[in-house]
Amino acid sequence: MGARIIQDARDGFIIDNLGRIKYHPDFHENHGQKFTEDDLCYLAKFYKHDGRRAMSFALGKTESVIQNKYADLMKRGLIEHYKNMEHYI
């Protein structure tokens, strides 16, 4: 069974069955670009507070990419490392 895709008529977003906004060129301007060190610091510091949707808009990447990157940092034990780094966003 494939992912069920729905369209949010209010905003024109396409949302997957997990409630994540799919790629939209107006909001995901950094789609396909590597995370910078500043991006990783920001993600580590604010993901738990702001959540994947706000982080998606802040960093210009899709919610699924944000969610996967945070999980990868957790798995690799790098959250505290990036939380403690200075960043200039």
Side-chain angles (χ1 to χ4, degrees):
M1 181 172 175
R4 194 183 88 218
I5 305 294
I6 60 172
Q7 180 137 5
D8 184 326
R10 295 168 295 165
D11 299 318
F13 294 126
I14 297 175
I15 300 172
D16 69 12
N17 61 331
L18 298 175
R20 300 175 300 198
I21 294 174
K22 303 291 277 179
Y23 171 74
H24 192 290
D26 292 340
F27 300 106
H28 303 123
E29 66 276 2
N30 294 320
H31 181 70
Q33 296 178 17
K34 291 184 178 186
F35 281 83
T36 66
E37 201 159 85
D38 282 344
D39 291 343
L40 296 174
C41 291
Y42 189 84
L43 181 63
K45 290 179 183 186
F46 299 109
Y47 182 85
K48 287 289 187 179
H49 181 268
D50 291 346
R52 69 180 185 223
R53 181 147 306 162
M55 297 302 299
S56 171
F57 290 127
L59 296 176
K61 297 179 178 292
T62 64
E63 289 184 55
S64 60
V65 167
I66 294 294
Q67 185 176 359
N68 291 339
K69 180 54 83 173
Y70 189 83
D72 178 58
L73 293 178
M74 288 273 296
K75 179 179 170 184
R76 295 172 45 209
L78 293 173
I79 295 295
E80 290 304 316
H81 168 76
Y82 284 110
K83 276 185 178 179
N84 295 321
M85 289 181 68
E86 291 294 321
H87 70 96
Y88 302 99
I89 291 180

